[in-house]
Amino acid sequence: MSNLTAHAGASSVESADLAARNLQERLMSSGHDRPEGDRCPICFDLIELPMGHHSKTNVCCMKSICDGCILAALRRGMNDRCPFCRTTRPRGDASRLAMIQKRVHKKDVEALSFLGLKHYFGDLGLAKDVSRSIELWTEAAELGSVDAHRQIGHLYYYGRVVDEDKPRGVQHWQQAAMKGHALSRRKLGDVEYDNANYQIALQHYISQIWIRKVTQFHQGNVQRRSRDQSAVCRGVTGIPRRRGRDEESPERGSKETALLDF
């Protein structure tokens, strides 16, 4: 009987080791390209990282528009409409919240994650409700939102307003990293480094750097192409970027960037 028990225990350990190896292989072989949601829906270019500093999210369609397309729309006189869906911009928190909730009812993953952030901070006239934030982020993560996975992972790994659960936090970061989320990949590297798994940590860091380098290379080509076109058409070699008036992305040093860990 003891032999059977020992054999069963050894088999379970081998199964756990095999599952861990398979997960590690999937982690290292996937997530080297950024999610399609990181592209501007107008010009289809990857938005520079961190996205919150180089784009804005319009609550009417929950699309992240790059600063270049925002500037182009402003130069064309589109000051009161969304550059993507042409919806008139909402006036006031109540109108903006109504638009977000309309998208939430349609199970828009970006809207679910976005509304979770607003509940977390108590913005748009909402009462601060962390449990509601987690509920929305969980639903968004189940529907495939990489940002929601990252948010939940951050809360549980560091024990922010919830009981600390590092394994659970790591699992969410893994899900986001396998879909190309650069910050989650870096966090996994930090975890492995803290556990003295330096070789695995290095692989995560290299993967995260690669994602960023590809974006920088892509942005460099786009900027050069834009400068060439401007020089030919208008004789302008560079136009400084500025944001639209309905900025939704967090400012540097704000409470939102503290949670997002930019």
Side-chain angles (χ1 to χ4, degrees), residues 55-56 65-75 83 242-244:
S55 66
K56 68 177 286 281
I65 313 298
C66 74
D67 284 351
C69 289
I70 292 172
L71 177 59
L74 290 173
R75 288 171 62 86
R242 64 187 179 88
R243 295 185 181 279

Side-chain angles (χ1 to χ4, degrees), residues 172-190:
H172 283 285
W173 283 340
Q174 289 172 338
Q175 291 298 318
M178 286 190 288
K179 294 180 180 179
H181 195 272
L183 181 58
S184 295
R185 179 71 70 174
R186 194 196 79 193
K187 287 298 184 182
L188 292 177
D190 292 343

Side-chain angles (χ1 to χ4, degrees), residues 189-206:
D190 292 343
V191 171
E192 297 296 349
Y193 185 89
D194 292 340
N195 292 330
N197 297 322
Y198 302 122
Q199 191 64 33
I200 298 176
L202 180 61
Q203 293 179 51
H204 282 303
Y205 290 144
I206 290 174

